[in-house]
Amino acid sequence: MGKRNSQRNRSAASMWDSDDDSSVSSSSTARTDAASMLGTEEVVFDQDTLLDQALDALDEKRGSTREKALSLIIEAFNSNLQHQFVEKKFATLLHQCLASIKKGSKKATAKEIALASHAIGLLALSVGCSDNAREIFEESVRPLDEYLTSTSDVTKIPSLLECLALITFVGGNDQEETERTMDLLWRVIHPKLGSNVVTIKPSAPLITSVVASWSFLLTTARELNLNSKNWQNSISYLSSLLDKEDRPVRIAAGQALALIFEIGIVDKFSAECKSASDMTQEESKQQASYVHLQGLKGKVINQVKNLSVEAGGKGSAKKDLSSQRSLFRDIVEFFEYGYPPEISMKIGGDSLQTSSWSQMIQLNYLKHFLGGGFIKHMQDNEFLHDVFDFTPKRKHLNNNEQRMSSGEKRMFKSPNSFQNKARTQFLNKQRLLSEGRNLGHYAASVTDD
């Protein structure tokens, strides 16, 4: 059994290594294994077979092989939900991806870690709220936390943050777990110093990534732990980001602040305050905190008003400036009149609508993460249907045929698809094998004469 698995892994690796100059005999092994896997001498590289081969290739020592395999897995999960593959290979895929992330298990590049993190996030979204989602969360949180705490390579961090946010969003069971992850995200840019903590100076893209992921999880908040000091610090920090030169940082901070006030953080502190004559010393401190929070809110309102009419400076991109002005005009309108932004987006023949900062942040975050797979997931992913209370119209095709998405066409139909490349490599090796047999036959004939 072990020998057969080993042969299969070597066969899978040969499909992914375009520079593999293996011998004719290894070509024979690849041909035999591929034929036996598919049950036919005429090898047809379908999607399930490619995913199985990609999963096998994650065991390979060569980093470029693992990266190619992860890329295919991500593209496959973007183009379809892969229910059958997930049902059979869920645990294997999860632990192979975690092996690329865990410190010291493999010499993984930043690219491999980003791909593995993205694959885990896609896996969580694909399984939805289930025992599998819970397993992803429980198995992944600790290694992600340990890696974030120990790494000094900032290029690896954003993908880890997205992965952590998504597995918590899908698989976290309660508010305490969500707040724990939010605190972990916050520590990336505000580390709690210790003997095993690597401190780094956060770049603008890193700050944007942390704030966006933190806000995404804040959208799920129901009963928050009302620590006024922590919220003062959070609002003060986000307010300071509005003065930064980097526009994506400003936009992420503005959305986070709008969300904080939408879910009523300041109002909840106000409701807990009593009249001055009834206050204990502790309650008096809470009252002072509430007054301070109100002052911070006033400061934020002035900042967003200025950003909503900011003039373009030298070298500023008009598109970025327009996006900033539009966003902060929406925030000003929300602060002054209580109207959140309304978004309507076409999903196939259906319309997806949002009417709160919380929904808008969720929509933008998931759209960014899924990229080209967003429409497909919004059409077919029941978990996302529940998140956005969205029910697409079902399209019935003649003879129960399933129309291929543009992503699937790229994967399986185009000349540059993984399928055609793999098939070409296999046929080339098969041709070499045939030539080798012919040469051997000719040599044998000469000897007989």
Side-chain angles (χ1 to χ4, degrees):
M1 180 68 180
K3 183 177 179 181
R4 184 159 61 250
N5 287 338
S6 176
Q7 288 176 334
R8 182 182 172 191
N9 287 344
R10 287 197 300 272
S11 172
S14 69
M15 295 298 180
W16 300 102
D17 292 337
S18 58
D19 56 346
D20 181 21
D21 296 324
S22 55
S23 65
V24 171
S25 62
S26 67
S27 298
S28 175
T29 302
R31 179 173 68 94
T32 303
D33 289 347
S36 63
M37 280 190 289
L38 295 169
T40 175
E41 285 294 322
E42 183 179 353
V43 180
V44 179
F45 293 91
D46 62 14
Q47 191 171 19
D48 289 340
T49 303
L50 281 171
L51 282 169
D52 285 339
Q53 292 174 346
L55 191 58
D56 288 340
L58 295 181
D59 266 331
E60 293 301 312
K61 292 182 179 180
R62 186 179 298 180
S64 60
T65 300
R66 299 195 301 268
E67 289 172 9
K68 290 176 185 177
L70 286 166
S71 295
L72 177 121
I73 290 169
I74 289 169
E75 189 167 358
F77 272 74
N78 270 339
S79 64
N80 212 325
L81 292 182
Q82 309 301 334
H83 291 302
Q84 291 184 350
F85 178 79
V86 168
E87 184 178 348
K88 297 176 183 177
K89 305 293 178 66
F90 155 78
T92 305
L93 177 57
L94 171 62
H95 289 99
Q96 289 284 40
C97 290
L98 286 175
S100 291
I101 296 172
K102 289 179 181 178
K103 186 179 180 182
S105 60
K106 291 179 181 177
K107 294 181 179 179
T109 62
K111 180 180 179 180
E112 182 180 345
I113 289 174
L115 290 169
S117 301
H118 200 85
I120 293 174
L122 281 171
L123 185 61
L125 287 175
S126 297
V127 301
C129 290
S130 63
D131 291 340
N132 285 344
R134 185 63 192 167
E135 183 177 341
I136 293 173
F137 176 78
E138 292 177 345
E139 293 289 329
S140 305
V141 166
R142 177 169 290 182
L144 288 170
D145 184 7
E146 290 175 351
Y147 198 95
L148 284 169
T149 302
S150 61
T151 187
S152 59
D153 187 348
V154 295
T155 62
K156 298 178 179 180
I157 295 177
S159 58
L160 297 170
L161 298 177
E162 287 187 347
C163 178
L164 190 57
L166 281 160
I167 64 172
T168 305
F169 184 80
V170 182
N173 271 352
D174 54 42
Q175 191 61 44
E176 184 178 345
E177 289 178 341
T178 300
E179 289 187 23
R180 196 178 303 130
T181 298
M182 290 171 67
D183 182 58
L184 197 160
L185 295 171
W186 211 245
R187 291 205 317 260
V188 173
I189 48 180
H190 288 292
K192 295 178 180 178
L193 298 182
S195 58
N196 62 339
V197 176
V198 177
T199 59
I200 56 174
K201 183 179 180 180
S203 62
L206 180 58
I207 293 172
T208 301
S209 181
V210 168
V211 174
S213 297
W214 185 86
S215 302
F216 177 63
L217 290 180
L218 184 59
T219 63
T220 67
R222 294 295 178 266
E223 296 297 328
L224 287 166
N225 179 17
L226 290 179
N227 184 317
S228 59
K229 186 67 175 177
N230 287 347
W231 284 108
Q232 281 183 50
N233 292 339
S234 297
I235 295 172
S236 294
Y237 176 70
L238 292 169
S239 172
S240 72
L241 295 182
L242 295 179
D243 294 329
K244 298 293 184 182
E245 293 184 4
D246 190 83
R247 285 207 173 91
V249 168
R250 296 180 197 169
I251 289 172
Q255 290 178 335
L257 286 163
L259 177 61
I260 286 172
F261 291 112
E262 180 181 69
I263 63 180
I265 296 297
V266 177
D267 295 336
K268 288 175 182 177
F269 284 119
S270 174
E272 292 191 353
C273 292
K274 300 179 180 179
S275 62
S277 59
D278 298 330
M279 286 185 190
T280 64
Q281 185 175 3
E282 184 62 30
E283 289 168 344
S284 179
K285 290 181 180 178
Q286 285 188 338
Q287 176 69 18
S289 296
Y290 169 67
V291 172
H292 184 60
L293 284 171
Q294 286 285 22
L296 282 174
K297 182 177 181 180
K299 177 186 176 183
V300 167
I301 291 173
N302 288 331
Q303 286 176 299
V304 298
K305 282 182 177 179
N306 291 334
L307 290 171
S308 69
V309 294
E310 183 187 38
K314 182 179 179 181
S316 62
K318 290 184 178 179
K319 183 178 179 181
D320 293 342
L321 180 60
S322 177
S323 298
Q324 175 186 289
R325 286 173 177 169
S326 177
L327 171 73
F328 285 104
R329 280 196 294 267
D330 286 341
I331 297 177
V332 170
E333 185 173 1
F334 171 69
F335 279 142
E336 293 186 340
Y337 306 108
Y339 300 136
E342 294 185 356
I343 295 176
S344 181
M345 176 183 293
K346 282 291 183 181
I347 306 291
D350 303 296
S351 179
L352 170 64
Q353 296 180 333
T354 67
S355 57
S356 68
W357 286 105
S358 176
Q359 288 180 321
M360 188 193 81
I361 288 171
Q362 289 176 351
L363 179 64
N364 288 340
Y365 195 89
L366 291 167
K367 185 179 178 184
H368 167 76
F369 178 79
L370 289 168
F374 174 74
I375 297 296
K376 182 66 175 177
H377 273 260
M378 282 307 310
Q379 289 175 326
D380 296 340
N381 192 320
E382 293 183 1
F383 172 72
L384 295 185
H385 296 169
D386 292 338
V387 169
F388 295 105
D389 192 22
F390 173 70
T391 306
K393 299 172 185 175
R394 302 297 179 186
K395 297 181 179 179
H396 300 285
L397 303 178
N398 293 333
N399 301 322
N400 294 320
E401 292 180 354
Q402 184 177 1
R403 182 177 293 122
M404 295 182 76
S405 69
S406 59
E408 289 173 313
K409 289 177 182 177
R410 286 196 303 272
M411 282 182 63
F412 303 109
K413 296 295 186 182
S414 77
N416 293 322
S417 68
F418 284 105
Q419 176 179 345
N420 282 325
K421 286 181 178 179
R423 185 172 186 276
T424 299
Q425 288 177 25
F426 178 79
L427 292 176
N428 286 340
K429 291 182 179 182
Q430 192 176 31
R431 187 173 62 253
L432 287 172
L433 176 65
S434 177
E435 291 173 354
R437 283 201 300 265
N438 291 336
L439 181 60
H441 175 72
Y442 177 77
S445 299
V446 171
T447 302
D448 291 341
D449 290 340

